[in-house]
Amino acid sequence: MADETVDESVEEIVDQDVTELAEAADVPADEEPEAPAKTGPSRGAAFAAAVRARSIAFGRAWLRAAPRQGAAVIGGLLLCASFPPWGFWWAAFPALSILGLVLWSSNTRLRGGLGYGLLFGLAFYVPLLPWTGQLVGVVPWLALSLLCATWVALFGVLAVAVRRLPGWPLWLAAAWSAAEWGKASVPFGGFPWGRVAFGQGDGPMLSLARYGGAPLVSFTVALGAFAVTALGIEMYRWWRSPSVGPGGARPVPSVLLPGACVCLVLFAMAVSWQQVRHASHGATDGRSVTVAAVQGNVPRLGLDFNAQRRAVLDYHVKETLLLAADVKAGKAPAPQFVVWPENSSDIDPIRNADAAEAITEAAQAIGVPILVGGVLRHPDSTPEQPKSINSVIGWDPDSGPGER
């Protein structure tokens, strides 16, 4: 049937050519034959064809990138699982290892690093920050998640740019630390929550905080994760490399640097972790400490909580006075000190006498110091450019504000 169709088409073309030649022969010599009209696809058909071609190209590109996109999302979810309420601190290592592998791939360009980093960041921050939506709504929650994920996207660009440098796990760990610093600083003073270190509260890497704080903990976790990625890559290359030599021996894999990084992380963990365990278990000599945590809350939810500053302070004072009454009546144990949360006094109690008087009243009622989460005026603040800093103030019932 196919052959018959082809034969018929050929015959039609031949007949059409013969007819056109006959018609051309009947034209007088003094008359020029009419030029045939140029025909082509319409603009609509051309546009549809272009859209179809672009769609096919996009679909093929997406299919090629789908495994890396899925890996980035899985990595972000794993990193989120290292934070409360889940608390799987070890999940941070495979999370960053997966991200490192995605960004190391030769198929990942700078634009791809931006996209994969953004996917990783969204998968991490969207489930990490839903509590912000309970205070200010869904839109600010998603906007904050997107803003934080942008820093991970910038890390992806940096990682792709330095991935071919010698010792690339060190460079990637440094780039990750730089991105965390940027997120904790910009804009409006930054948003530090979400640092890798904050998910290591129950892990052995926490011990490094005594030497370099959260930045050192994050850097060490990232370095260990990326070094494991490098080890896996080199071992895979070695396994896939062709045999050489008369004995069929493969070349030695290049594992010296990543192996040294992993050993360094393990050594630091082993040395510092035992000291922290000893200090945490032996410092109290079996004695317990009673701590009272007061959460005064806010009059109403919303973005205008800064407009409720005095009300928030009064709420914490009121709850502390109620606690003092319960302690006096024997309904609650007497604490050794009281903790107020961050921004419990958005009014600077060092410069505002009314705020200081209210806090002193609460401290004298409970009879023990209060750790006040206050907002203080920055030393460099001016009327033209006002600045403030968060601080924890130790408020003594007798002497008032102390160390911070």
Side-chain angles (χ1 to χ4, degrees):
M1 175 64 75
D3 294 337
E4 294 176 0
T5 304
V6 172
D7 293 339
E8 292 175 358
S9 300
V10 171
E11 290 176 0
E12 292 175 359
I13 294 173
V14 172
D15 292 340
Q16 183 178 359
D17 292 341
V18 171
T19 303
E20 292 176 354
L21 290 173
E23 292 175 354
D26 295 335
V27 178
D30 57 348
E31 294 183 11
E32 295 182 0
E34 184 178 356
K38 295 183 179 180
T39 60
S42 63
R43 291 185 178 180
F47 177 76
V51 170
R52 183 164 54 252
R54 287 295 183 92
S55 301
I56 294 174
F58 176 80
R60 291 175 178 174
W62 184 86
L63 288 177
R64 289 194 300 268
R68 296 190 294 276
Q69 293 173 355
V73 172
I74 292 173
L77 294 175
L78 280 174
L79 186 57
C80 182
S82 69
F83 283 74
W86 303 281
F88 301 122
W89 60 267
W90 50 265
F93 290 90
L96 293 179
S97 292
I98 292 173
L99 180 60
L101 180 61
V102 170
L103 298 175
W104 178 88
S105 172
S106 59
N107 294 324
T108 302
R109 302 291 187 265
L110 289 175
R111 185 171 58 181
L114 183 73
Y116 297 136
L118 184 64
L119 282 176
F120 182 97
L122 289 175
F124 171 41
Y125 284 108
V126 169
L128 182 69
L129 304 175
W131 52 271
T132 59
Q134 298 175 3
L135 299 175
V136 295
V138 175
V139 174
W141 159 42
L142 296 179
L144 178 61
S145 300
L146 178 60
L147 178 62
C148 294
T150 302
W151 285 101
V152 186
L154 294 177
F155 159 76
V157 175
L158 288 175
V160 174
V162 303
R163 66 187 177 186
R164 294 296 180 257
L165 294 177
W168 63 267
L170 287 167
W171 290 102
L172 260 66
W176 180 270
S177 298
E180 284 194 343
W181 173 84
K183 185 177 71 70
S185 305
V186 178
F188 312 118
F191 184 75
W193 180 245
R195 283 181 167 177
V196 170
F198 296 161
Q200 300 298 307
D202 295 327
M205 296 300 174
L206 176 65
S207 55
L208 298 176
R210 66 184 298 184
Y211 303 111
L216 179 59
V217 175
S218 293
F219 175 82
T220 306
V221 173
L223 177 60
F226 296 140
V228 169
T229 301
L231 272 176
I233 292 171
E234 294 300 331
M235 294 302 295
Y236 178 78
R237 283 176 169 175
W238 172 77
W239 179 64
R240 293 296 301 272
S241 63
S243 299
V244 295
R250 292 189 176 95
V252 178
S254 303
V255 298
L256 179 60
L257 180 60
C261 292
V262 173
C263 292
L264 179 62
V265 170
L266 293 177
F267 177 75
M269 178 184 67
V271 171
S272 58
W273 178 237
Q274 293 299 325
Q275 296 175 357
V276 171
R277 287 178 57 115
H278 177 74
S280 62
H281 289 292
T284 61
D285 296 329
R287 295 175 298 174
S288 61
V289 177
T290 302
V291 180
V294 174
Q295 179 68 57
N297 215 332
V298 295
R300 61 188 180 276
L301 300 179
L303 289 172
D304 62 339
F305 52 83
N306 283 330
Q308 312 171 51
R309 296 184 299 171
R310 183 58 200 231
V312 172
L313 174 59
D314 291 341
Y315 273 31
H316 284 83
V317 171
K318 177 182 176 181
E319 292 298 325
T320 305
L321 294 177
L322 292 175
L323 173 63
D326 290 342
V327 170
K328 186 176 182 179
K331 298 180 181 179
Q336 272 69 54
F337 62 93
V338 178
V339 178
W340 286 5
E342 180 184 12
N343 290 18
S344 54
S345 179
D346 275 355
I347 301 175
D348 188 344
I350 306 299
R351 297 177 175 273
N352 189 293
D354 292 341
E357 182 180 352
I359 298 173
T360 300
E361 178 187 2
Q364 291 178 348
I366 195 65
V368 295
I370 300 177
L371 298 181
V372 180
V375 177
L376 308 181
R377 181 181 177 182
H378 196 279
D380 298 334
S381 178
T382 62
E384 294 77 16
Q385 294 183 342
K387 298 180 181 179
S388 60
I389 56 174
N390 284 330
S391 180
V392 177
I393 311 166
W395 206 281
D396 188 84
D398 301 320
S399 58
E403 295 183 357
R404 55 182 185 269

